[in-house]
């Protein structure tokens, strides 16, 4: 039964969570306690009794449930349903780019359109989970650094949960993001620096006891929310995975989360050992993962002077760098950087040819796909899934309109 149907029945659920684990050292941590990073300063991963889930969950039972991310309750950490402050985290559609695919000679070019989620981005998946767990564990005040979309999702869910929220963003964060954060009940501050400079202030405030730090991967549960992308796409494709996934990579929560999802799905017998090649896409102006991947490094040093129009992937330093790089390598995938011109051109093409408005980060995945196809890294007949992670409506758009003077004769043939 999903959390939604459970609401008026028993609210205390046994979850299958057994413990948390340091992603670097494997050290165990107790569940049901408030945790940030591990003692090694690395992300904590939630571990489940997957044998238990295997016995409790069938594909048939799942098929009966509402189409939202809570349908995967057995693989999620929330114990008490009343701690979920849902805004309707609907399943997002997989949309073929048929016209572009035909032009490129690609038969299975698909976009998972995450822009349909509450607050207009896939940050909703991670933040609804992070906030539910924060509420469950008694947090009353949260702070977070953001490039925009995460702050908006945090503001919305925390406000619903009755949790006070302070959001710090770089001072050049798109106006629409800064304003939506404030309108959804958070206190928002512009900082003269980048997202990791904001994160430093949030970390200092947390250490001094002013708030709980909900930064990307610095608490264990956002990854569990983002993991639902992997569960969901597998189910949507009939429990088969695509050949290759293109993911716009900032902090990498989604890529790490999907990689975890696939392992869990295999452990419960829903899929086999086959995996998609995972492609981490970044912008040329901020490509720490691409550089580390090319150099064969396990960690990625801070990228200095980061700049790109794709604000969601302007992340100079990621605490989960080694998890991103590991997933890319284990999958046989690769990392690729595209220029701002290429990604904006891809946004234009998807809109003009297929009527699908991508965000710049989504455009980056399409630009990377096109280049990978050219370079033979992806074959035209392979099924490729691109992530459009936010609605294109949140971003500035070029003005292509012309005017009509209704007082003059109208030359209809020229319209
Ligand atoms: C946050 C964000 C990303 C990057 O997601 P991660 O999982 O943190 O790497 C990409 N695109 C958009 C629009 C985002 O908001």
């Amino acid at each position: 039964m999903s959390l939604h149907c459970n609401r008026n029945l028993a609210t205390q659920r046994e979850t299958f969570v057994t413990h948390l684990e340091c992603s670097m050292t494997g050290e165990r941590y107790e569940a049901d306690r408030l945790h940030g990073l591990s003692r090694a300063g690395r992300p904590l991963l939630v571990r489940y009794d997957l044998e238990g889930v295997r016995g409790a969950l069938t594909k048939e039972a799942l098929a009966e449930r509402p189409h939202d991310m809570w349908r995967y309750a057995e693989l999620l950490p929330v114990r008490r349903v009343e701690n979920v402050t849902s805004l309707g985290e609907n399943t997002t559609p997989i949309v073929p780019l048929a016209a572009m695919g035909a032009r490129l000679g690609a038969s299975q070019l698909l976009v998972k359109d995450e822009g349909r989620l509450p607050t207009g981005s896939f940050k909703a998946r991670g933040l609804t989970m992070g906030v539910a767990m924060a509420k469950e564990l008694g947090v009353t005040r949260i702070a977070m650094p953001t490039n925009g979309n995460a702050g908006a999702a945090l503001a919305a869910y925390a406000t619903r949960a009755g949790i006070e929220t302070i959001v710090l963003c770089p001072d050049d964060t798109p106006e629409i993001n800064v304003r939506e954060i404030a309108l959804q009940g958070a206190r928002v501050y512009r900082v003269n620096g980048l997202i990791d400079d904001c994160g430093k202030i949030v970390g200092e405030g947390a250490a001094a006891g002013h708030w709980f730090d909900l930064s990307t991967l610095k608490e264990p549960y956002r990854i569990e929310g983002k993991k639902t992308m992997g569960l969901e796409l597998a189910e949507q494709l009939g429990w088969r995975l695509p050949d290759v996934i293109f993911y716009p990579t900032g902090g990498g929560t989604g890529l790490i989360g999907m990689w975890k999802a696939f392992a869990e799905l295999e452990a419960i017998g829903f899929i086999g050992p086959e995996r998609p090649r995972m492609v981490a896409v970044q912008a040329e102006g901020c490509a720490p993962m691409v550089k580390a991947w090319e150099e064969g490094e396990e960690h990625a040093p801070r990228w200095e002077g980061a700049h790109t129009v794709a604000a969601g992937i302007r992340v100079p330093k990621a605490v989960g760098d080694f998890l991103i790089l590991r997933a890319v390598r284990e999958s046989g995938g690769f990392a690729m950087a595209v220029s701002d011109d290429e990604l904006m051109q891809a946004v234009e093409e998807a809109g003009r040819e297929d009527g699908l408005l991508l965000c710049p980060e989504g455009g980056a995945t399409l630009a990377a796909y096109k280049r990978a196809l050219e370079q033979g890294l992806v074959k035209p007949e392979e099924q490729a899934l691109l992530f459009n992670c936010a609605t294109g409506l949140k971003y500035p758009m070029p003005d292509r309109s012309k005017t009509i003077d209704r007082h003059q004769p109208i030359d209809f043939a020229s319209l």
Side-chain angles (χ1 to χ4, degrees):
M1 256 212 205
S2 85
L3 286 162
H4 281 322
C5 327
N6 262 341
R7 190 155 288 154
N8 46 12
L9 303 173
T11 56
Q12 176 81 49
R13 275 188 326 118
E14 268 316 302
T15 69
F16 290 88
V17 175
T18 53
H19 64 284
L20 310 184
E21 192 179 282
C22 174
S23 56
M24 182 101 107
T25 64
E27 187 186 358
R28 279 177 80 103
Y29 291 75
E30 222 179 307
D32 302 311
R33 295 262 184 291
L34 196 60
H35 293 292
L37 289 170
S38 73
R39 269 179 283 272
R42 292 295 167 179
L44 288 172
L45 300 175
V46 181
R47 295 301 181 200
Y48 298 84
D49 166 17
L50 295 171
E51 271 308 304
V53 176
R54 192 183 183 117
L57 183 63
T58 63
K59 291 177 183 174
E60 294 69 33
L62 200 51
E64 301 298 310
R65 295 179 182 178
H67 288 277
D68 63 28
M69 63 176 256
W70 305 105
R71 65 199 269 104
Y72 307 107
E74 287 84 351
L75 289 171
L76 300 177
V78 182
R79 276 204 204 286
R80 299 182 66 89
V81 179
E82 68 267 26
N83 292 323
V84 174
T85 51
S86 176
L87 286 161
E89 295 70 33
N90 49 284
T91 301
T92 63
I94 293 178
V95 183
L97 289 184
M100 273 200 79
R103 176 164 66 82
L104 299 169
S107 48
Q108 300 188 76
L109 180 55
L110 308 173
V111 174
K112 188 149 174 67
D113 190 7
E114 296 279 295
R116 322 287 181 98
L117 284 159
T119 72
S121 85
F122 64 8
K123 292 296 193 301
R125 293 184 189 264
L127 271 308
T128 189
M129 194 66 71
V131 167
M133 292 306 292
K135 188 171 182 210
E136 192 151 286
L137 298 169
V139 172
T140 56
R141 194 190 241 203
I142 290 174
M144 199 179 73
T146 184
N147 279 329
N149 289 326
L154 172 66
Y157 288 107
T159 296
R160 275 180 97 76
I163 296 175
E164 210 184 325
T165 308
I166 295 116
V167 174
L168 272 55
C169 59
D171 52 7
D172 62 350
T173 300
E175 204 52 49
I176 189 161
N177 292 120
V178 181
R179 293 182 186 194
E180 67 175 325
I181 293 167
L183 269 178
Q184 290 168 132
R187 297 201 294 282
V188 56
Y189 298 90
R190 297 170 189 265
V191 177
N192 50 350
L194 290 176
I195 187 167
D196 55 344
D197 299 310
C198 300
K200 190 159 174 286
I201 300 173
V202 168
E204 285 166 12
H210 293 294
W211 50 58
F212 183 66
D213 182 350
L214 212 86
S215 301
T216 306
L217 297 180
K218 291 189 181 165
E219 61 77 53
Y221 301 107
R222 252 166 95 177
I223 232 180
E224 296 304 296
K226 278 282 197 83
K227 182 179 89 177
T228 60
M229 295 191 295
L231 305 173
E232 191 174 296
L233 74 88
E235 188 178 14
Q236 284 174 307
L237 296 175
W239 302 112
R240 275 195 52 261
L241 300 178
D243 295 306
V244 55
I245 291 179
F246 284 76
Y247 188 79
T249 307
T253 328
L255 196 150
I256 298 164
M258 284 192 280
W259 197 242
K260 185 172 189 282
F262 300 150
E264 291 173 359
L265 286 177
E266 184 181 357
I268 67 169
F270 277 32
I271 61 170
E274 64 287 345
R275 293 287 183 278
R277 307 202 294 290
M278 304 296 284
V279 180
V281 179
Q282 298 200 299
E284 281 176 0
C286 182
M289 293 306 139
V290 179
K291 185 161 186 285
W293 183 77
E294 284 169 352
E295 293 174 355
E297 298 292 337
E298 220 205 334
H299 293 281
R302 184 175 198 265
W303 185 276
E304 299 302 331
H307 64 91
T308 166
V309 294
I313 52 176
R314 195 181 62 174
V315 178
K317 175 99 187 112
V319 64
D321 53 2
F322 66 109
L323 297 172
I324 299 169
L325 291 160
R326 242 180 236 174
V328 168
R329 290 193 177 109
E330 279 175 26
S331 74
F334 52 92
M336 183 180 270
V338 295
S339 70
D340 279 10
D341 282 349
E342 279 177 285
L343 67 89
M344 288 315 295
Q345 193 196 327
V347 169
E348 300 246 353
E349 288 172 353
R352 195 175 58 225
E353 297 179 42
D354 278 292
L356 185 66
L357 184 64
L358 302 177
C359 63
E361 297 83 354
T365 65
L366 178 55
Y369 172 80
K370 284 170 58 187
R371 211 200 280 170
L373 198 62
E374 264 170 39
Q375 296 180 355
L377 293 166
V378 176
K379 295 193 193 66
E381 67 277 13
E382 286 187 305
Q383 188 177 64
L385 187 76
L386 317 180
F387 268 85
N388 185 50
C389 21
T391 169
L393 295 173
K394 281 206 201 189
Y395 297 79
M397 286 174 253
D399 180 14
R400 294 281 160 69
S401 63
K402 294 177 184 149
T403 56
I404 288 177
D405 182 352
R406 67 192 174 90
H407 301 299
Q408 299 297 322
I410 293 173
D411 177 6
F412 285 98
S414 76
L415 295 185

